[in-house]
């Protein structure tokens, strides 16, 4: 039987509609500053999608567009101004930043109370310790999808391919919490014989940024496969000259029990979780 396709688009919309209803009852408009430095087309399309979703949920986005050659001090002082602006509850700095900017310094300048992406060392530390704060959007989106489809996580072996600070590491950290109770293996480019690990996975999460890295013969029968990857591959038959594809070969659908599509799987869940964090930040600002 072909895999059940996990519809992140539908679930994301359902969550966003709930957030819209909650938002309508607040006496404050949750607001997010969205900072984009440069004109990377992929970043621009992510930022546009996030701003549209905020607007539809009754939240406000403050567009801050800076040139590619922006001075780091200008960026830092922009963040400082927003930190001190009570009307803005969250700050999102779209990554990657231009090469001459020190990403770590910029992220560390964000007030952790407004760090809705959960990239600040204080946010990451709190998440690591399980001591409150925001949850990172993409990992949280993956957890919501697993819950929605009643995938048993407790006691399962989850194999994650990728160890980035925004996906692989936080996912591993969240999934070993007692409430999820999974056993985790994290693979990366230093892993010998990746297939030896991926084949053991009850739940396989691909977050490598490599088109179709995970093939059918790399998974076990009936595995749950979550594809976080979003890759642009050139395609002359497509209007834009490229198409999006994940890190998982679509053939995997013939062997997996559940599979997330790309697009329409984890991506829309990331946006829904961002909106949830912005709402939470707005509520926190009133305490
Ligand atoms: P990243 O920072 O580039 O990290 C990629 C990770 O994958 C690294 O740990 C790397 O290993 C590992 N890796 C790369 N190629 C590999 C291979 N052939 N075998 C084993 N491991 C390999 O990427 P990221 O930011 O985590 O993003 C990963 C993918 O998810 C990208 O396609 C990105 O666009 C997508 N993404 C999607 C969403 C969403 O909302 N859907 C959100 C964030 C990211 P090393 O550490 O050894 O280099």
């Amino acid at each position: 039987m072909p895999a059940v396709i996990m519809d992140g688009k539908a679930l994301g919309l359902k969550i966003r509609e709930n957030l819209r209803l909650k938002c309508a009852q607040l006496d404050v408009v949750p607001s997010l500053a969205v900072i984009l430095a440069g004109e990377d087309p992929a970043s621009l399309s992510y930022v546009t999608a996030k701003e549209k979703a905020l607007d539809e949920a009754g939240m406000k986005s403050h567009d801050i567009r800076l040139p590619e050659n922006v001075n780091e001090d200008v960026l830092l002082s922009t963040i400082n101004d927003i930190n001190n602006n009570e009307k803005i509850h969250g700050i999102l700095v779209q990554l990657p930043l231009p090469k001459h900017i020190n990403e770590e310094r910029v992220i560390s300048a964000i007030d952790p109370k407004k760090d809705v992406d959960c990239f600040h060392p204080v946010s990451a530390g709190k998440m690591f310790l399980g001591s409150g704060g925001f949850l990172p959007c993409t990992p949280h989106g993956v957890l919501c999808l697993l819950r929605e489809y009643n995938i048993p996580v407790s006691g399962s072996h989850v194999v994650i391919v990728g160890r980035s600070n925004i996906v692989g590491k936080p996912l591993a950290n969240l999934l070993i919490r007692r409430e999820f109770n999974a056993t985790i293996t994290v693979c990366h480019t230093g892993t010998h014989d990746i297939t030896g690990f991926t084949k053991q996975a009850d739940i396989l999460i691909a977050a490598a940024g490599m088109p179709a890295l995970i093939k059918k013969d790399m998974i076990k029968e009936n595995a749950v496969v979550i594809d976080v990857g979003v890759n642009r591959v050139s395609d002359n038959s497509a209007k834009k000259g490229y198409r999006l594809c994940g890190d998982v070969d679509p053939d995997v659908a013939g062997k997996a029990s559940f599979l997330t599509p790309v697009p329409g799987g984890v991506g829309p869940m990331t946006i829904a979780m961002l909106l949830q964090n912005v709402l939470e930040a707005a509520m926190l600002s009133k305490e």
Side-chain angles (χ1 to χ4, degrees), residues 163-184:
R163 58 174 161 187
S164 72
N165 288 343
I166 64 169
V167 189
K169 276 187 209 160
L171 251 177
N173 177 259
L174 290 168
L175 283 161
I176 49 165
R177 283 187 181 181
R178 213 169 273 280
E179 62 189 287
F180 298 108
N181 236 11
T183 301
I184 316 293

Side-chain angles (χ1 to χ4, degrees), residues 56-283:
E56 286 170 3
M59 303 187 194
K60 197 167 166 44
S61 60
H62 300 263
D63 244 11
I64 298 169
R65 302 282 191 263
L66 299 167
E68 178 81 27
N69 64 355
V70 61
N71 181 291
E72 187 172 306
D73 288 339
V74 171
L75 182 48
L76 292 172
S77 101
T78 304
I79 292 175
N80 191 41
D81 288 348
I82 310 168
N83 282 342
N84 294 318
N85 184 337
E86 286 179 7
K87 290 196 175 136
I88 303 183
H89 310 107
I91 303 176
L92 180 149
V93 178
Q94 184 63 40
L95 302 180
L97 286 166
K99 290 207 167 34
H100 64 283
I101 306 270
N102 182 327
E103 212 160 89
E104 217 176 304
R105 203 175 296 145
V106 168
I107 288 168
S108 298
I110 298 172
D111 180 341
K113 291 199 285 300
K114 300 192 178 189
D115 179 32
V116 288
D117 260 337
C118 193
F119 291 164
H120 190 286
V122 167
S123 317
K126 279 186 164 179
M127 184 208 47
F128 181 79
L129 297 172
S131 60
F134 301 112
L135 290 182
C137 304
T138 302
H140 193 190
V142 170
L143 297 178
C144 285
L145 267 173
L146 293 172
R147 193 180 311 121
E148 175 74 7
Y149 283 85
N150 296 314
I151 308 292
V153 176
S154 182
S156 68
H157 183 190
V158 179
V159 177
I160 302 171
V161 182
R163 58 174 161 187
S164 72
N165 288 343
I166 64 169
V167 189
K169 276 187 209 160
L171 251 177
N173 177 259
L174 290 168
L175 283 161
I176 49 165
R177 283 187 181 181
R178 213 169 273 280
E179 62 189 287
F180 298 108
N181 236 11
T183 301
I184 316 293
T185 299
V186 180
C187 301
H188 43 77
T189 56
T191 306
H192 295 302
D193 184 22
I194 287 214
T195 302
F197 293 100
T198 55
K199 275 198 133 172
Q200 293 177 41
D202 302 310
I203 301 173
L204 176 64
I205 304 177
M210 288 283 292
L213 171 70
I214 305 297
K215 310 276 191 242
K216 199 173 175 181
D217 62 359
M218 291 172 74
I219 71 158
K220 100 174 160 191
E221 197 76 47
N222 289 326
V224 173
V225 181
I226 306 288
D227 190 353
V228 179
V230 180
N231 308 294
R232 283 186 177 206
V233 290
S234 50
D235 180 349
N236 292 335
S237 67
K239 232 192 211 164
K240 294 180 174 166
Y242 68 86
R243 66 188 160 80
L244 294 182
C245 78
D247 288 353
V248 176
D249 190 320
D251 264 6
V252 161
K255 197 172 180 188
S257 55
F258 290 86
L259 175 66
T260 59
V262 177
V266 175
M269 293 302 297
T270 298
I271 294 186
M273 296 302 107
L274 172 70
L275 265 55
Q276 191 162 304
N277 282 351
V278 175
L279 181 85
E280 210 174 292
M283 287 174 20

